[in-house]
Amino acid sequence: MYQLDEIPNEAHDTEANGDSLADLNEFWRITSQRYYKQVQASLPSLHPTRQFNIFSFFNRGGLPGPSNTQSLSSAHSAWIQALNTGRVKDIKQTYTFLTNWLSSASPLDASTSTSLPSENDILRMLEIVADTQNPDVGFIRTILSHSSQVLGRPLTQNYYALLAKALVACGDGQQALFTLVDAAQRKVDLNAAAWEPLIACYAQLQDRVGLHAAKEHMKACGIVPTPVVYRHLLDFAFGEAIDPDVNTRERLQPLKVEMETNGVLTRPIILSCLLNGYSGIGEPEEATIWAREIQKIIAARSDWGEPEPEELEMLEALVTFMERRFGGIHATNTLTELRSRGFVPSSSILTAILRGKGLNANVESLLALQDEIGVATGPDAWAILITNAVAKGDLPSAMGIYKQATTVLPPSVVLCQAISGARKYMLPDGRTLYDIYQDLLLAETATLKSTPISTTHMCKLYEDLLLAMATQNDRLLVPKQLSLLVDMRNRSISFDGPTTVAVLRQLMRSSGSYNAAYNLYSNVRSLGSGFTPATYQEALHTLANMRAERRASANFPPSRLFFSIVKDMSDDGFPVGVETFSMLFARLRQAAVRVQYSELGTAENPNHELLAEVRRAHVLFRLYAAVTPDTNFLNLLMDTYSRTGGFSEAWSIWEEDLFPPKIHDGKSISIILDTCGHYGATKEAFVVWKAIKEWEWRSPQNQITPKLWETWIECLCRLDLVDDVRRTLVRELGTPATRASSDAPAWRSHVTERMASIAVNFKWRGPAAEAKKALVYDTAKRLLSDSD
């Protein structure tokens, strides 16, 4: 397969292919089209996946297509094995292979039908795929299509529920709502559990309109909200309490009345939410009311030996509140009463008490509680102490607590994430956060754990690690960053949208080279993180504007990398507009300005490397026929060519793209006149000036605008046409009598002074430079004295 990495750096060999501009134009046109066609021909015809990389295709496991030499039963067995491992990538590969087999095996005979996926297995696959942080909704829709077409399964409530769950996980709550409403219209019997992820999504996004719409649609379908749904509604209400203009009591009162009517107000999950919520927004009196309700439930029950998870959460909320509100003695009394009713404390209760102590929790209090309660301390409790030390800015103490914790516990995700929360890559003891991560990997290997216990903590750990590495701005850390991204992919862990943008931006900026930045982008994309148009735009903007250590005067991104990201964006179905390409050409123009001011490239000696890059980018841009360049883009492109030694291309853009279609503006004229002046193109300059005098570039007073007069006089100066400068100052702008006439515009005298100043201060060239300057000065002096 042809790899873009194998393309030689033709920019250094430009002169060998012809010195003339025409030769260069033809060379870049042919080579760029050839490279693009070869790369495009090597792309897979299948629907693009998140693992696609234009430099090296992601390893799809070498799965062959349907073959008569391989039985359907083996394909089915491979899929079941992938389901058992829970690896999303393997599941997708084997399922695609299996459905290809089923499509080719027509009609199905008795032996074939025995290898059809069962409904339970399909639902299990949907559950696994939907549970990933950023599921492939397209793949899930494919499964649903197969269920009704290839496999002959009806679409039940479980299918719709999992599809809605996947859409919610992708952040598309509106589409998830439409999916559930559509199911209801199709008379699919949905239960409340199908609506819970959608309600949770709107609550987390603090979307009041979406939350209300979801709740009303749920009621319209005849579904009574569950305690889980009410909990999300309460979380949303307490989250809004941060806004001082929101009256929390008024908002919560109708909700509490509704919960009481539906008989869920005194459910443990609701009580713990109310207690934590009121305590969190600073209303201890209201929180105390709900704490007493929980105490009544405790007193009314004699046996608390095996509480349900919701009940345990309620008890932990009570212990935390009692510790925070009334002090340790009240929390201890509550725990004593529970013990008298058969409750056996666990490490989670100890953690709840520490949480109630807040920043006052320390190692001494932890060890004292451990002895008093008689339970072993878990990693969550130690993590609270580490987090407290980090919050106080005491990283040495945090490291000390971590070391003490790892003497009694193996390194865990929770402990590592607490340390990495400081986002300080270099630790006080000389180690790094990456060393802490290696401790975790060694502990997992020793205990034969291939997946983390907490995906949430693990995701946050990777985020903190990568961002801490990025702050070092050390290109030697790029291999470690890539290894972390590979680990994330192997664990089927991905970031949410905002985190993806933040991590991607910092990693690319700190990579130190354009190739490293692209590799990091490619690996982040392969995680399956839901790339949006904003994510792609951020990647393109970062690549176009990052500073890499090439030649200081020619620091610009390779267009092949930029257009590779553009292709990924297009393959994912996102529109690509002209503003996307403007980012690259704007950066190339900036590089050209630096080259000009560093005197490494002038009109007589263009910077061939930069000019070659502009030509290559221009050729690749032309391949996007659906993108119509506007005036601003063509101005940018013409100016970029002008500053890199590409006069013929700049003139071609003016002559073919801007002027005949009448889409040029004043800026277009200024750019082309400046270009003609810099390149000594006298004939072309007068062609432009004659045209604009005959065409529409006039002010409302039917006169050429002042800015264009100034540009024209400067162009004449650069062309060393001193007599034309004098004639323009006198004849074109008029005599004192014409300037004083009532028909003359108000700006006439001001622009005369400005043009005279430009001509006088211009650095005339040649042996007669002083004489030219004297002639211009004499004419300007006469004009200015007449105007007085």
Side-chain angles (χ1 to χ4, degrees), residues 99 385 539 541 622 628 665 679:
T99 53
L385 304 185
H541 181 270
R622 283 173 173 169
T628 303
D665 56 12
Y679 288 88

Side-chain angles (χ1 to χ4, degrees), residues 441 563 587 645 651 692:
L441 296 185
F563 278 87
R587 176 59 188 279
W651 179 254
I692 65 172

